[in-house]
Amino acid sequence: YMVVLIEKNYPVFTIIINNPESKNAVDGPTAQELSSVFRKFESDEKALVAVIWGDNGTFCSGANLKAITEGRGNKIEKEGDGPMGPTRMRLNKPVIAAVAGYAVAGGLELALWCDMRVVEKNAIFGVFCRRFGVPLVDGGTVRLPRLIGLSRAMDMILTGRPVGAVEALSWGLANRVVDIGRSRIEAEKLAREIAAFPQNCMRNDRLSVYSQMGLSIDDAMLNEFELGLKTLGSGEFLKGSKTFMEGKGKHGNFDNV
């Protein structure tokens, strides 16, 4: 029985957590498997954007606390992969979380690691581990305030309260809110749209966004410029300029580029 599944519909690479008995909680072996499949995504030249989705109506309820007592607990070490698996990786390609139901505790941290979050109307985010004295050790206290600001992050982290889809959207925690049962479909649709763009440019701009955190404004601007030079050096813009001269993509049209 496989808890982590892969479906390849190139250029989209979909990773599925399928552990309904524990609401897609992640134990140690599952975390290792998640790391492994994301490395497969990173090395797969035909895969341009990944989607991670939890089957059976739940994204991920966090670390499997029962497994900890049974010797299958999550890895807690300074080096290597994170407790939830891929959460310390910095991939070169985007990842979109398709969130239905609960994305809480470690599941919240897994969703925060992704570049974007497409969430269903019934989605619930929360630091539910607050109730049990389980700390955020997989990026929650780092990524959450960077996404939604210090005050709102403190609200979630100190109280552990549930945050629904509408509030999450207004905070920037969710990027899209979709009907129940549509998160994977809409996330894969979004992934295909992103995959259709010139990839060198998109990836270097994405890298600049992540790299600027912690840099001074001058260093961040220089880093952006250097990455931009790499993009220009790839020659991608020449094809784009030709497309523009052919009358495609004008006036904000994305349909025929």
Side-chain angles (χ1 to χ4, degrees):
Y1 178 75
M2 297 296 293
V3 174
V4 180
L5 307 173
I6 300 172
E7 291 188 16
K8 301 175 185 179
N9 294 290
Y10 293 125
V12 180
F13 189 105
T14 300
I15 296 160
I16 302 165
I17 307 174
N18 181 31
N19 191 11
E21 293 183 359
S22 65
K23 293 189 180 297
N24 291 339
V26 171
D27 60 12
T30 303
Q32 291 178 353
E33 186 62 20
L34 283 171
S35 295
S36 175
V37 297
F38 273 106
R39 289 190 174 95
K40 290 177 181 177
F41 161 66
E42 181 78 345
S43 64
D44 189 336
E45 293 183 358
K46 293 189 290 185
L48 302 183
V49 182
V51 170
I52 180 170
W53 174 70
D55 205 352
N56 305 293
T58 297
F59 178 72
C60 176
S61 60
N64 191 326
L65 300 185
K66 181 180 178 181
I68 294 173
T69 66
E70 298 174 346
R72 295 181 290 108
N74 302 63
K75 176 181 171 183
I76 306 294
E77 297 178 8
K78 289 183 178 180
E79 305 296 329
D81 293 332
M84 294 295 292
T87 37
R88 293 176 184 169
M89 295 180 184
R90 180 171 289 186
L91 303 181
N92 291 315
K93 297 182 280 190
V95 180
I96 301 171
V99 179
Y102 290 104
V104 296
L108 170 65
E109 292 179 300
L110 187 59
L112 293 173
W113 171 72
C114 299
D115 296 277
M116 298 180 70
R117 285 147 296 280
V118 175
V119 313
E120 297 182 15
K121 292 178 179 178
N122 70 341
I124 296 291
F125 297 94
V127 187
F128 281 16
C129 51
R130 179 59 55 234
R131 300 168 295 170
F132 306 117
V134 178
L136 295 169
V137 291
D138 219 0
T141 65
V142 178
R143 293 188 174 105
L144 189 61
R146 290 183 178 188
L147 279 175
I148 66 175
L150 179 63
S151 179
R152 287 166 172 165
M154 280 299 189
D155 186 347
M156 293 185 68
I157 291 168
L158 296 183
T159 70
R161 72 175 179 87
V163 173
V166 173
E167 189 172 22
L169 180 66
S170 70
W171 286 5
L173 178 53
N175 297 95
R176 310 275 194 280
V177 174
V178 300
D179 289 335
I180 293 173
R182 297 282 301 180
S183 61
R184 177 182 174 181
I185 295 168
E186 296 298 331
E188 290 177 340
K189 178 182 176 183
L190 177 60
R192 285 189 290 271
E193 292 173 0
I194 294 172
F197 294 131
Q199 292 296 291
N200 279 314
C201 183
M202 182 274 292
R203 291 180 189 176
N204 281 333
D205 284 352
R206 173 181 176 272
L207 178 58
S208 178
V209 172
Y210 283 123
S211 300
Q212 60 85 26
M213 295 178 182
L215 296 178
S216 69
I217 185 66
D218 290 338
D219 289 341
M221 293 290 287
L222 179 59
N223 182 64
E224 178 193 62
F225 184 74
E226 290 174 346
L227 287 168
L229 288 180
K230 289 183 179 180
T231 298
L232 294 174
S234 74
E236 249 180 7
F237 75 98
L238 296 174
K239 182 180 178 181
S241 298
K242 185 174 182 286
T243 299
F244 181 81
M245 293 303 294
E246 291 171 350
K248 300 177 182 178
K250 293 187 176 181
H251 311 294
N253 190 329
F254 281 67
D255 294 333
N256 61 351
V257 294

